[in-house]
Amino acid sequence: MLVNLPGPWNPWLGRLALSEIPYTNPILAPLFVVVVVLVLLMVAGITYYGKWGYLWKEWLTTVDHKKLGIMYIILGLVMLFRGFIDGLMMRTQQAMAVGPHASGMMGAVHGYLTPFHFGQIYSAHGMIMILLAATPLLVGIMNIVIPLQIGARDMAYPYLNALGLWITAAAVVLVMASLFVGDFAHNGWFGYAPIFELAYSPGVGVDYWIWTFQLVALGTTLGSINFIATIVKMRAPGMKWLRLPMFTWASLSANIIALTSFPCLQVAIGLVAADRYLGTHFFTAGFGGNLMLYTNLFWLWGHPEVYFVILPAFGMISEIIPTFSEKPLFGYVTMVLATFAIAGVSWLVWLHHFFTMGMGPYVSTEFSVATMLVGIPTGVKVFNWAFTMYRGRLTYTAAMYWALGALFLLLVGGLTGMMLSIPAINYMVHNSVFVVAHFHMMLLCIVYAIFGSVIYWFPKVFGYTLNEAWGKTMFWLFSAGTALVFIPMFMEGFMGMTRRLDWPFDPHWAPYLDIQMLGILAYVLSILAFVVMLYVSIRDRAQHRAAADAWGTSRSLEWLTASPVPFYNFAVVPQVNARDEAAWRREHGLSAQRASHYDAIHMPNNTGNAIIIGGLTFVLGFALTWRIWWLSLISLLAIIAMMISHSAKGDPGHVIPAEEMERMDREAERAMPRADLPRHSGGVLGGAIAYDSGAAGAGSRNLRGAPDHRP
């Protein structure tokens, strides 16, 4: 039976009413006007230049993994900016409200944000940064790079890939809608039982939180299935398991975590929805529920999810450092083992999030030891990166700066994590901003790795390099912001400042909060440097065109195809002869080798079904949030009908003839800088095959092999 709701409800609009639109809010009302103006300008520009057809055919309906990856990254960058604005508002509120005599404005007693508004911003910031910024950025980079690194023409399930993107986009639109229609949850990004129950949160904020979580979890789960299938089944001939690049290994382990942990999240959030919508009592102690059941279920997902986002970042570092050290990755096999050791131990540590809940000394000890064990394989990685750089020919490019910055933050975050793994210390600093500073070190390690990877793989996708000077300027400004914000935060934690404070009552915290404002200013300047870097790079792209190997010292398979990568990735499926295939071919004089024989290839067709289903999932989430039951039913039935229709029709794809493949490959060859043109006429050198002429399509496995040349 559906629960009785406080407040009005009608059969057509559910709980939705004009009063739910915050048109009198002094912050949101002007923001809404700005957003509307920007959207209208964007629509007008697209219409003026006649680009609607281009957008629909080339982007909105694409199943090309590279374009989908680019859209994931754009989505993640937009939400990274939104999450940063939330963080800026929290820091400015605390700096303005510190002390008992701080004045207030815009309805707030202290500062400019009321406690309820501050709670919403706090909740949205955490969810956005982890699930709607970091996750799409990482999934986008995995989308672009993994098929190229294993020699595939696309993902195993191109349509599923597009569907995952548009469901994630639906989650983004849903959480953005909460800005202007209704409000968002104020129970923290991870939720507290029983605060999220209907009796304590009667508004729609928690409902927005529920369905945003469910949509992004569904999109990520679909993506994890696709990545695992791609890596297992789509590898080029000769790409044995111990020849996989480290980024691919890290992505495989991360997606195994995602596939097994995100269902735990969906169950936990689903039970919250059952309490709020059906009147059950899973988490209401007075009616036989268990508050800690939710906490356990959530963090059973939550801590493996931390490694879902950190392991791909480790893989990125493992690609950047060897390239700019001009050496193979030190201890490759131990790095693979360390990656899966971290993934395995990630399932054994979730209780360290609530040592203070009183689970007893034996349980606390087990989870304390398990948490410390994570440091062993992580330490293996750190030493291997250091030994890779040792006596290497180091080139300090912007990408290398970001990779080294990530390594430094990993050390800071890891060492403070070891402190928090000790229950006695954890009891003292639990719920303080020391913990906030610790996990921001880990998350910023991911952000540093992402920015380094964007710079590193940008020329492979777009055909020209980003401006090095502005990339380094952004790095130093971003690093200054990181130091100025989080070093004082560690100190505030030792001084007893707790998290989630809309009013920091102790005036002794004021100097540290003021220093953090300088850090926020440095972050703002770093964003401006990022925009300038993009502008200057696009403006000067003709002078910075990239060869197939944009850096000249790259090591993995993606650097053998043209820059920018054509839609078919590889005109002829490459034969892999070594672990670092690009470096191996460079050493053997095969780096510029071109195929002499081409075959017809099969490619998937674009489809509009994925974006339509994505739009319908947003409608479903919005309708469930506002309890508009007729709209929920119609959108759900439409989603099912679209899925059945697509399954019934299938995708026959299209075939590109061999002659057309040869023509496009030769054109890509002529378009590249002169240094990358062919220098060899043969296709075989020393018994090693550069290209396998028997590969007729991306899924072909009837291929002749090459002698085993182990690195």
Side-chain angles (χ1 to χ4, degrees):
M1 179 181 294
L2 299 182
V3 297
N4 293 321
L5 293 171
W9 179 87
N10 72 74
W12 293 107
L13 295 177
R15 305 184 74 184
L16 189 59
L18 189 62
S19 60
E20 297 291 345
I21 300 176
Y23 50 85
T24 59
N25 188 294
I27 297 175
L28 295 179
L31 177 62
F32 178 74
V33 174
V34 171
V35 170
V36 170
V37 170
L38 289 175
V39 170
L40 290 176
L41 288 174
M42 188 181 303
V43 171
I46 296 171
T47 304
Y48 178 79
Y49 289 103
K51 293 296 184 181
W52 286 110
Y54 167 78
L55 280 176
W56 178 258
K57 293 177 182 178
E58 296 295 329
W59 290 90
L60 300 182
T61 62
T62 187
V63 294
D64 184 344
H65 69 98
K66 299 175 290 299
K67 290 181 178 178
L68 294 172
I70 292 169
M71 288 189 283
Y72 263 118
I73 291 171
I74 292 172
L75 203 65
L77 288 174
V78 169
M79 297 311 290
L80 186 67
F81 180 73
R82 158 72 199 279
F84 169 73
I85 295 299
D86 287 340
L88 181 150
M89 294 178 71
M90 288 190 290
R91 296 280 79 77
T92 53
Q93 162 66 17
Q94 290 183 330
M96 293 172 62
V98 64
H101 304 297
S103 60
M105 63 181 77
M106 294 191 290
V109 177
H110 304 281
Y112 68 99
L113 296 175
T114 63
F116 183 70
H117 194 184
F118 185 88
Q120 292 180 63
I121 293 172
Y122 180 90
S123 303
H125 173 75
M127 168 185 271
I128 286 170
M129 284 304 205
I130 294 174
L131 284 170
L132 299 175
T135 299
L137 285 167
L138 292 167
V139 171
I141 294 172
M142 285 190 280
N143 249 299
I144 293 170
V145 175
I146 287 175
L148 297 175
Q149 285 198 331
I150 65 174
R153 291 208 171 94
D154 209 318
M155 298 285 284
Y157 307 111
Y159 170 70
L160 192 66
N161 200 17
L163 192 60
L165 167 69
W166 294 115
I167 291 175
T168 303
V172 166
V173 176
L174 190 62
V175 76
M176 296 297 273
S178 68
L179 277 173
F180 308 119
V181 186
D183 50 43
F184 196 67
H186 61 98
N187 53 288
W189 80 271
F190 48 84
Y192 276 105
I195 296 175
F196 50 54
E197 297 289 352
L198 202 58
Y200 303 99
S201 299
V204 297
V206 174
D207 301 320
Y208 270 122
W209 174 80
I210 287 172
W211 301 115
T212 301
F213 255 126
Q214 290 287 14
L215 290 182
V216 73
L218 176 60
T220 307
T221 303
L222 295 178
S224 65
I225 295 169
N226 211 354
F227 284 122
I228 294 170
T230 301
I231 295 170
V232 172
K233 300 297 292 183
M234 302 290 286
R235 301 192 308 278
M239 180 63 78
K240 302 177 182 180
W241 282 109
L242 289 182
R243 288 179 178 172
L244 284 178
M246 268 311 304
F247 178 71
T248 302
W249 272 120
S251 300
L252 177 62
S253 62
N255 282 286
I256 291 173
I257 291 174
L259 182 60
T260 51
S261 67
F262 271 90
C264 298
L265 172 67
Q266 291 179 291
V267 168
I269 301 300
L271 294 178
V272 176
D275 277 9
R276 289 182 61 87
Y277 284 78
L278 303 178
T280 59
H281 297 287
F282 289 105
F283 308 125
T284 48
F287 294 92
N290 189 334
L291 305 182
M292 287 305 298
L293 173 62
Y294 172 78
T295 307
N296 276 279
L297 283 174
F298 184 90
W299 288 114
L300 185 61
W301 160 80
H303 206 82
E305 198 272 344
V306 171
Y307 296 100
F308 164 69
V309 292
I310 197 73
L311 285 173
F314 289 168
M316 296 169 186
I317 298 170
S318 298
E319 299 293 334
I320 294 171
I321 287 179
T323 293
F324 298 113
S325 300
E326 297 189 34
K327 284 177 60 182
L329 180 66
F330 183 89
Y332 171 89
V333 174
T334 60
M335 289 290 263
V336 173
L337 294 174
T339 298
F340 281 88
I342 293 171
V345 177
S346 72
W347 285 97
L348 305 175
V349 298
W350 79 91
L351 259 73
H352 71 211
H353 287 274
F354 42 97
F355 275 138
T356 56
M357 293 297 183
M359 69 282 289
Y362 296 107
V363 176
S364 294
T365 300
E366 188 276 327
F367 281 91
S368 174
V369 172
T371 304
M372 294 178 190
L373 288 176
V374 178
I376 297 175
T378 306
V380 169
K381 286 183 172 290
V382 171
F383 281 110
N384 282 354
W385 290 326
F387 286 131
T388 301
M389 291 184 283
Y390 177 66
R391 301 188 71 177
R393 297 176 180 176
L394 300 183
T395 305
Y396 291 103
T397 62
M400 188 67 162
Y401 275 32
W402 286 101
L404 294 176
L407 181 54
F408 177 77
L409 291 178
L410 173 62
L411 292 173
V412 176
L415 291 173
T416 52
M418 289 298 102
M419 294 172 60
L420 292 169
S421 70
I422 302 171
I425 296 177
N426 196 297
Y427 266 70
M428 297 303 297
V429 298
H430 182 79
N431 209 42
S432 75
V433 292
F434 181 90
V435 179
V436 176
H438 153 70
F439 68 68
H440 274 84
M441 291 296 99
M442 302 305 297
L443 292 175
L444 283 168
C445 169
I446 299 166
V447 173
Y448 271 65
I450 288 171
F451 281 128
S453 297
V454 168
I455 294 171
Y456 179 64
W457 278 301
F458 188 93
K460 176 52 58 180
V461 178
F462 293 100
Y464 57 93
T465 57
L466 290 170
N467 185 276
E468 280 287 310
W470 280 107
K472 292 176 180 178
T473 301
M474 179 194 173
F475 168 81
W476 288 116
L477 288 170
F478 199 92
S479 298
T482 299
L484 290 171
V485 169
F486 294 105
I487 292 175
M489 194 177 290
F490 277 118
M491 300 171 73
E492 289 169 341
F494 283 132
M495 295 172 68
M497 181 175 172
T498 57
R499 58 203 296 194
R500 294 182 289 274
L501 283 181
D502 63 284
W503 171 52
F505 53 85
D506 191 338
H508 293 96
W509 298 333
Y512 302 97
L513 294 169
D514 291 337
I515 294 172
Q516 289 180 50
M517 290 308 300
L518 295 176
I520 293 294
L521 176 61
Y523 274 140
V524 171
L525 294 176
S526 73
I527 294 172
L528 295 177
F530 178 72
V531 173
V532 173
M533 177 182 70
L534 291 178
Y535 168 75
V536 172
S537 302
I538 295 171
R539 183 194 65 190
D540 300 337
R541 62 187 180 278
Q543 289 92 341
H544 299 283
R545 289 169 56 208
D549 182 358
W551 307 107
T553 55
S554 305
R555 310 194 67 83
S556 47
L557 193 59
E558 73 269 25
W559 300 104
L560 295 180
T561 188
S563 300
V565 185
F567 69 90
Y568 49 82
N569 290 357
F570 298 92
V572 178
V573 174
Q575 170 71 41
V576 179
N577 302 278
R579 181 176 297 155
D580 294 331
E581 182 68 13
W584 183 88
R585 293 196 184 196
R586 192 165 52 243
E587 294 167 3
H588 289 77
L590 283 168
S591 58
Q593 187 67 46
R594 293 293 177 264
S596 58
H597 176 78
Y598 295 83
D599 290 301
I601 68 170
H602 178 271
M603 297 296 293
N605 290 326
N606 288 356
T607 175
N609 278 22
I611 188 172
I612 294 172
I613 291 177
L616 289 170
T617 55
F618 163 73
V619 174
L620 176 61
F622 187 83
L624 288 170
T625 296
W626 290 97
R627 291 173 164 79
I628 308 173
W629 303 124
W630 64 269
L631 186 58
S632 302
L633 180 61
I634 290 175
S635 56
L636 179 60
L637 292 176
I639 290 170
I640 295 172
M642 291 287 293
M643 295 176 68
I644 293 174
S645 172
H646 182 83
S647 299
K649 291 189 300 184
D651 177 21
H654 62 280
V655 174
I656 304 176
E659 299 78 13
E660 181 69 8
M661 286 303 309
E662 182 173 6
R663 182 189 65 79
M664 290 189 292
D665 192 43
R666 299 308 182 197
E667 286 181 359
E669 176 184 301
R670 289 192 294 271
M672 284 191 292
R674 298 294 301 177
D676 209 59
L677 292 179
R679 298 188 295 270
H680 307 281
S681 58
V684 177
L685 180 64
I689 301 174
Y691 294 93
D692 194 298
S693 59
S700 176
R701 286 294 174 266
N702 186 19
L703 303 169
R704 57 190 175 90
D708 187 11
H709 295 270
R710 296 192 178 276

